[in-house]
Amino acid sequence: MLHNRVKELRARFDYSQSDLGDLIGVTRQTIGLIEKSNYQPSVTLALKIAKVFRLPLEEVFWLEGEEEGEKK
Amino acid sequence: MIKKVMESPLAIMVIPLSLGAAYIGVQERWPYVMIIPFINVLIVLLSIILVTIHNKRFPKDTMRLWTLIPYELREEDEGMQYYTYRATRKVYIFFALALPFSLLLYVIFGNLIKYSDVILLCLLYTAQLLIFWLEIRKAYVED
């Protein structure tokens, strides 16, 4: 299963779900579903999210069983 | 608010179900049954007014009154498309089971229960809308 740090990163950048949705071209509801891992985004969307947070993809999304992206 | 009301299953099923009731009413000669089509016309006019008001207030989020595509399939983005896929899948499974079962019920009880065809159609339509709406609602549940 795909996990992510979108909620944590969104808080760090002080974005609301609507803000992030506007930046990447999706609805607030989709951001909420991604954060709760109720929806696994497409590669394109995942890349867009990672680009907004200026992080590599694997530091925002990872598969269950792998280590978290940020090890610092 | 207007959009939520207009796209709720209750709003969508009012006219078809009332037409079913009107059909039965005419057959059974209910008093004042002809008021139902009149109310339906009022509902259509009210819908046009409400949609016009909504579209003027929210030009980036307009509603289309005259469209062949059901509102349920006007997904906004890939997340909503996924939930639409889940909902349509459930509706498909429902009809795969319900239609043969309804046919069986009609064959057995069709002559025993008056207007069983209209009642069955109305029940199937209501179930379709409810199943779809309950699934789509999951995408809008707040934290």
Side-chain angles (χ1 to χ4, degrees):
Chain A
M1 187 169 163
L2 192 67
H3 292 273
N4 66 79
R5 299 166 53 209
V6 173
K7 190 171 185 176
E8 172 201 327
L9 291 165
R10 188 170 57 76
R12 188 186 296 181
F13 280 73
D14 198 26
Y15 288 147
S16 66
Q17 288 182 340
S18 295
D19 292 336
L20 182 57
D22 289 340
L23 284 170
I24 60 174
V26 295
T27 59
R28 180 192 63 76
Q29 285 80 13
T30 296
I31 299 296
L33 294 172
I34 292 172
E35 288 178 356
K36 288 184 281 185
S37 296
N38 285 345
Y39 171 66
Q40 299 187 12
S42 64
V43 172
T44 307
L45 190 58
L47 283 168
K48 284 182 181 177
I49 293 172
K51 191 176 176 183
V52 164
F53 296 133
R54 297 189 280 274
L55 289 171
L57 182 63
E58 54 274 9
E59 289 194 22
V60 183
F61 296 92
W62 69 93
L63 290 170
E64 188 180 356
E66 292 181 0
E67 290 177 281
E68 280 193 35
E70 199 172 68
K71 298 174 187 176
K72 296 176 188 174
Chain B
M1 178 70 182
I2 292 176
K3 194 174 185 186
K4 261 190 176 176
V5 169
M6 295 289 293
E7 292 181 351
S8 71
L10 277 175
I12 293 168
M13 69 171 78
V14 159
I15 290 180
L17 291 186
S18 64
L19 287 176
Y23 171 77
I24 295 173
V26 165
Q27 299 299 315
E28 294 294 310
R29 301 183 202 282
W30 289 344
Y32 309 113
V33 68
M34 291 317 292
I35 202 172
I36 293 175
F38 177 69
I39 291 175
N40 285 348
V41 169
L42 283 180
I43 290 173
V44 169
L45 290 173
L46 184 63
S47 302
I48 293 171
I49 293 169
L50 289 175
V51 167
T52 307
I53 293 172
H54 171 86
N55 289 347
K56 280 195 175 155
R57 273 197 206 165
F58 305 101
K60 288 185 180 178
D61 186 27
T62 57
M63 293 175 62
R64 289 180 65 187
L65 202 55
W66 316 112
T67 175
L68 290 176
I69 298 176
Y71 89 92
E72 299 98 327
L73 298 183
R74 296 186 303 120
E75 311 99 349
E76 294 172 60
D77 60 12
E78 61 175 74
M80 295 300 106
Q81 285 174 5
Y82 171 67
Y83 271 80
T84 300
Y85 151 73
R86 283 171 50 145
T88 49
R89 188 170 179 271
K90 286 194 174 180
V91 170
Y92 182 91
I93 292 170
F94 164 72
F95 273 117
L97 300 169
L99 282 176
F101 185 65
S102 299
L103 189 59
L104 182 65
L105 282 179
Y106 184 68
V107 165
I108 296 172
F109 300 108
N111 289 331
L112 300 173
I113 300 173
K114 238 179 172 183
Y115 312 114
S116 51
D117 46 358
V118 175
I119 294 169
L120 274 174
L121 281 173
C122 288
L123 286 173
L124 286 171
Y125 183 62
T126 304
Q128 173 206 322
L129 287 176
L130 277 176
I131 291 169
F132 195 96
W133 180 69
L134 286 171
E135 188 63 30
I136 285 290
R137 236 175 123 243
K138 291 178 187 175
Y140 291 88
V141 172
E142 305 286 337
D143 269 332

